[in-house]
Each structure stands twice: as structure tokens, then as C-alpha cells.
Amino acid sequence: MSEQPFEPRIVAFFCNWCTYTAADLAGISRMQYAPNVRVIRLMCSGRVDPQFVLAAFRDGADGVLIGGCHPGDCHYQEGNVNALRRFELLRPMLRDLGVEDERVRLEWISAAEGDKVQRVCNEMTEQVRALGPLRLVTPKRVTPKRVTSPRVTSTWTVPVERADELVGQEAR
Ligand code: FES
């Protein structure tokens, strides 16, 4: 039985006002890019909640691409700046889960840059293809150890002959 070659699945969160329009432009200009990229349109890159990225990986994506307006061009003032902040915070967490840096990418792509959409999508597809399928690291369960302090133990080490006497004292 011949094995199917690995085809990466890349989820792309594109801002409606720039990168999504650029992807549209690439389409109507017949610039072909890898069909491995599935685009999700959001109103702003600042709308990308880190949980969206985690959910994409959990549900089988091999890579996540976020596309937003260039700094200073966001329709919601600072949405792309917030996206960048979250992206930088998310990266180390993803590394801990075994997600290599090449699997997540943030790009500023204006509505006129259809060629950049094509280049970024193709580059990312090839990078992720080279990495192979994503294998998430399952965090180890940590079972707390029961620690018995010798001092605490000694408090309860009561000579048997005195036990009744002490219990009697406590009740009084
Ligand atoms: S509107 Fe495009 S990144 Fe905010």
C-alpha cells in the first residue's frame, strides 16, 4: 500500500480590510498559491484570540498564518499592534507544546499586495511540509507527592499507654 505524501493544513486568519482583500486580488490576478491554506476572514488581525490559534492546532492544523494591515494602517487604530503583542506572548507557549516557530507566522500584507499573499502562503506551505505533520507534546501530569514531616509525625507518636489519657484531656 503506497503512503500518501504529506500535505500540510494551514489555517490563515486574514484581516478583512487588507490581507483578505490582497488574497482576493491574488485570486482575480490569477496568481496561484498553495491550496493548503484555508482562509478565515476576520475584521481585524487584533480579533485573533490566542485561543483561535490553539484551537486550530488542536483540531489538526499543521500551521497558522495571521495576516493584518501594515502598522499605522489598521482600521481599528491599534488592532494589529495588539495582534503582534499577543503573537509574541503566544510563541513561547506554543514552543512548550512542541510547535516549532515556523508553524506560526504573522505578516503585514496590504490590500494591494496580492503577490505577497502568494509568496507568504507558498513559503509557509513549503516550510511546514519540510517539518512534517504537527505532533503536539502532551504536558506531563504532575502528581503532588505526599510529604510527611518528621516533626509532624513525632507529634502524633504518642506512647500507647498515654493515648487514653491524652484523648481524655482533649475532650475536657
Ligand atoms: S483592520 Fe486590518 S489589522 Fe486591523
Side-chain angles (χ1 to χ4, degrees):
M1 197 167 73
S2 68
E3 242 184 54
Q4 294 284 325
F6 167 61
E7 281 301 332
R9 281 171 292 196
I10 295 169
V11 174
F13 297 103
F14 284 171
C15 156
N16 175 62
W17 302 104
C18 47
T19 317
Y20 187 84
T21 311
D24 213 17
L25 176 65
I28 42 179
S29 309
R30 296 180 186 268
M31 297 174 189
Q32 290 192 348
Y33 56 86
N36 307 58
V37 180
R38 304 294 154 86
V39 177
I40 296 173
R41 175 165 54 162
L42 298 170
M43 292 311 283
C44 175
S45 62
R47 180 67 187 88
V48 180
D49 190 308
Q51 289 192 37
F52 296 174
V53 177
L54 294 171
F57 283 124
R58 182 199 61 207
D59 294 343
D62 300 297
V64 172
L65 171 63
I66 302 166
C69 304
H70 284 272
D73 289 347
C74 175
H75 282 52
Y76 307 97
Q77 310 291 328
E78 293 184 347
N80 50 5
V81 178
N82 291 334
L84 178 60
R85 277 199 200 110
R86 289 190 200 118
F87 183 76
E88 292 302 332
L89 288 171
L90 186 60
R91 252 183 198 284
M93 192 194 299
L94 290 172
R95 278 184 208 128
D96 284 348
L97 292 169
V99 179
E100 299 91 340
D101 283 354
E102 294 82 3
R103 293 187 191 272
V104 269
R105 189 163 170 173
L106 173 65
E107 286 286 343
W108 307 135
I109 305 175
S110 79
E113 295 178 306
D115 56 329
K116 190 169 177 184
V117 169
Q118 180 190 38
R119 178 174 58 76
V120 167
C121 288
N122 288 341
E123 264 177 25
M124 194 165 173
T125 303
E126 288 319 308
Q127 281 174 337
V128 176
R129 194 193 304 279
L131 288 172
L134 175 67
R135 296 189 208 294
L136 288 174
V137 173
T138 313
K140 279 185 191 155
R141 267 182 195 276
V142 179
T143 314
K145 278 189 180 167
R146 184 178 287 272
V147 179
T148 314
S149 156
R151 284 181 63 199
V152 171
T153 312
S154 68
T155 312
W156 292 98
T157 312
V158 175
V160 177
E161 59 276 12
R162 287 200 59 212
D164 286 343
E165 179 193 333
L166 289 171
V167 170
Q169 275 178 9
E170 225 170 70
R172 269 182 243 142

